[in-house]
Amino acid sequence: MNSPAITKPAFDKQGDQSDEARVDAAMGCFVSEFGVTAALHLESCVHCGLCAEACHFHIATGDAKYTPIYKLEPFRRAYLREASPFAPLVRALGLVKKPGIAELQQWQELLYDSCTMCGRCTVACPMGIDIAELVKEARHGMFRAGLVPERLALMDRTARQWGSTATPGEDLPDILAEAAKEHGVEIPCDLVAADVLVTAAPAELGEHTKALADAAKILNRIGVKWTMHQSGFDAANIGFNNGDLELQERLTRSLIDTAVKIGAKTVLLPECGHAYGAARWEAAKWYGEALPVRIIHMTEFLDELIATDRIRVKKIGESATFHDPCQIVRRGGLEAAARRVLTALGFDLVELKDHGVTGFCCGGGGGVVSNPRATPLRHKVFEMKKQQVEATGAKHFVTSCGQCRITLEMGAKHANWNTPTESLLELVADNLAD
């Protein structure tokens, strides 16, 4: 007689808190997030459903539970009970039920497995509700409750111990020395003084060291004094994705404080979307004043170097289409910069049906690509991108985010799709003109 299949629950939990303590931790954190902006957003929803038509997970599955605003239901209920104008009356009359542990466990899938915080729903919302930002704030409470997908929680613990999800800082010099030898380029490490502090994404310290070497190639070409540094090198902020505010602050400060220590005026971020969100747009809140350094994404850097003629590139002269990384383009504003670099490379740009600020996510942002439980859902989303790329007929498929590249490569492998995803940085480095 065959044993019945054991179905793994669609939630994980960390720590030994009681169910009641988990709910209280989540609710307490939710309430702490309810400033004026969050309150206005939560009061403004008219239930029009337009956000559902913007979400790649909802479109790919047709499942109503993936409607973006529905993912905020526990967060909304906490607001109505604890912080809304009529909260005392709501509680006294029992008009809104307090979320329970079963509901928080259910919503773990909606907040982590089926949301990349891409912001396409935010752009579509006629009331201007920043749903992606509210999801990020809701994750703060889920982390406090110890209700995070286990793979993300493991990465969180690793980053707390090492300062990186990829490697301890003391191993960085050896990793850079090996990459420098493999690619024939000088990669300085731990200089006591430099003008530019260069950071990396975890994949660039492993399987994608060419991206790191190509950044070095360009920096060495322009003659700037730069370095990487083991006290602050990993820009891909897992705390930002998980809702771990303490870790998010620590990882961000490690970059900026290291730059200040060595006298660097610029922190150069890698081709990584969430690094851009965490370091460029949220770093100031940890300091309470203007940042002491400039933080710039690799796309901006390449655009500025080409515009000022500090580097020149050869014309490739072939057709290309471009995947717009959500955190860099839609939420970061670098739509035109990437296209100017593509133009400088001589590409005939054939835009995807949905591109720029309305482009579809790769399906793996916000930690989704690192969450094995979300893999089947991510594959469904990939089919949307694959069809749009094929419809262009372009010879090259380019992006400016390493995380997007990894997600798209994984999707292509699963779909037996032979179109490679190319890095904007690597294309520039491979086509530098003398």
Side-chain angles (χ1 to χ4, degrees):
M1 181 176 178
N2 293 329
S3 300
I6 299 175
T7 302
K8 189 178 188 300
F11 66 88
D12 298 311
K13 58 184 179 180
Q14 297 80 43
D16 56 2
Q17 298 180 75
S18 67
D19 289 348
E20 182 179 1
R22 291 182 193 276
V23 172
D24 289 343
M27 289 288 285
C29 190
F30 290 163
V31 171
S32 72
E33 300 286 351
F34 295 140
V36 174
T37 302
L40 286 172
H41 285 165
L42 290 167
E43 292 279 6
S44 298
C45 180
V46 295
H47 306 286
C48 65
L50 289 177
C51 62
E53 300 308 314
C55 177
H56 45 282
F57 290 116
H58 179 268
I59 295 170
T61 64
D63 194 330
K65 75 177 182 178
Y66 296 130
T67 301
I69 201 68
Y70 180 64
K71 298 170 185 178
L72 294 169
E73 183 61 17
F75 197 54
R76 184 187 72 86
R77 282 163 53 183
Y79 166 74
L80 291 173
R81 283 180 54 87
E82 306 295 338
S84 68
F86 299 104
L89 186 62
V90 168
R91 290 195 302 273
L93 297 180
L95 299 178
V96 177
K97 182 181 177 183
K98 180 180 178 180
I101 188 63
E103 291 166 297
L104 291 182
Q105 290 169 343
Q106 177 188 356
W107 254 264
Q108 184 186 118
E109 178 198 358
L110 300 183
L111 290 170
Y112 287 99
D113 298 27
S114 60
C115 184
T116 56
M117 301 188 293
C118 76
R120 199 169 191 266
C121 55
T122 296
V123 172
C125 178
M127 305 304 293
I129 302 171
D130 193 346
I131 302 172
E133 182 67 17
L134 292 175
V135 166
K136 182 163 68 65
E137 292 174 357
R139 287 187 179 192
H140 298 160
M142 296 295 284
F143 181 83
R144 288 274 189 90
L147 293 173
V148 176
E150 183 53 34
R151 177 65 180 276
L152 300 185
L154 174 61
M155 295 170 70
D156 198 280
R157 293 191 293 270
T158 301
R160 281 176 171 270
Q161 181 177 353
W162 288 351
S164 166
T165 59
T167 184
E170 58 263 29
D171 290 348
L172 182 67
D174 289 338
I175 291 172
L176 298 184
E178 290 177 9
K181 182 178 180 180
E182 177 184 357
H183 298 286
V185 63
E186 182 181 354
I187 305 178
C189 184
D190 291 342
L191 297 186
V192 296
D195 297 320
V196 179
L197 175 68
V198 176
T199 62
E204 295 176 355
L205 302 171
E207 63 268 31
H208 286 167
T209 57
K210 185 179 186 304
L212 185 59
D214 282 345
K217 181 178 178 181
I218 292 168
L219 286 156
N220 293 341
R221 171 68 69 92
I222 64 174
V224 67
K225 188 174 183 180
W226 69 280
T227 190
M228 295 191 69
H229 205 287
Q230 59 181 289
S231 64
F233 62 95
D234 187 341
N237 197 315
I238 188 65
F240 177 91
N241 283 338
N242 284 358
D244 184 351
L245 281 170
E246 180 186 353
L247 179 61
Q248 180 183 342
E249 178 180 0
R250 185 198 305 179
L251 295 177
T252 298
R253 283 185 179 275
S254 71
L255 304 182
I256 296 172
D257 293 349
T258 298
V260 171
K261 180 175 71 174
I262 65 173
K265 302 301 182 184
T266 301
V267 174
L268 179 58
L269 301 176
E271 285 192 315
C272 177
H274 289 290
Y276 194 54
R280 178 66 180 272
W281 301 120
E282 296 210 356
K285 70 183 182 182
W286 310 123
Y287 288 81
E289 57 186 1
L291 292 177
V293 297
R294 183 189 185 202
I295 301 175
I296 186 171
H297 188 268
M298 181 59 70
T299 302
E300 296 172 281
F301 185 62
L302 296 175
D303 181 38
E304 290 181 5
L305 292 183
I306 291 171
T308 57
D309 208 32
R310 295 179 73 187
I311 60 171
R312 292 180 297 110
V313 291
K314 303 171 186 174
K315 302 287 186 180
I316 296 174
E318 295 174 340
S319 63
T321 193
F322 184 71
H323 164 70
D324 290 280
C326 306
Q327 301 298 322
I328 300 170
V329 173
R330 181 163 36 249
R331 296 183 72 78
L334 297 185
E335 178 180 3
R339 284 161 174 78
R340 286 193 292 265
V341 176
L342 290 168
T343 297
L345 287 165
F347 281 120
D348 175 18
L349 182 62
V350 185
E351 296 282 16
L352 298 170
K353 179 183 176 182
D354 297 284
H355 61 275
V357 296
T358 63
F360 278 108
C361 179
C362 67
V368 173
V369 71
S370 301
N371 181 2
R373 196 175 62 206
T375 299
L377 189 57
R378 179 166 46 79
H379 287 159
K380 291 181 181 179
V381 168
F382 172 78
E383 285 297 322
M384 298 168 57
K385 182 67 66 173
K386 172 176 173 286
Q387 291 171 16
Q388 289 200 346
V389 172
E390 290 178 337
T392 67
K395 186 171 181 180
H396 296 266
F397 177 36
V398 185
T399 191
S400 56
C401 172
Q403 192 76 353
C404 290
R405 182 181 176 188
I406 291 170
T407 300
L408 294 167
E409 286 175 344
M410 292 170 69
K413 182 178 181 180
H414 177 262
N416 295 315
W417 193 50
N418 295 322
T419 299
T421 306
E422 301 178 65
S423 155
L424 187 65
L425 164 63
E426 292 181 23
L427 284 167
V428 169
D430 290 344
N431 290 280
L432 288 175
D434 295 330

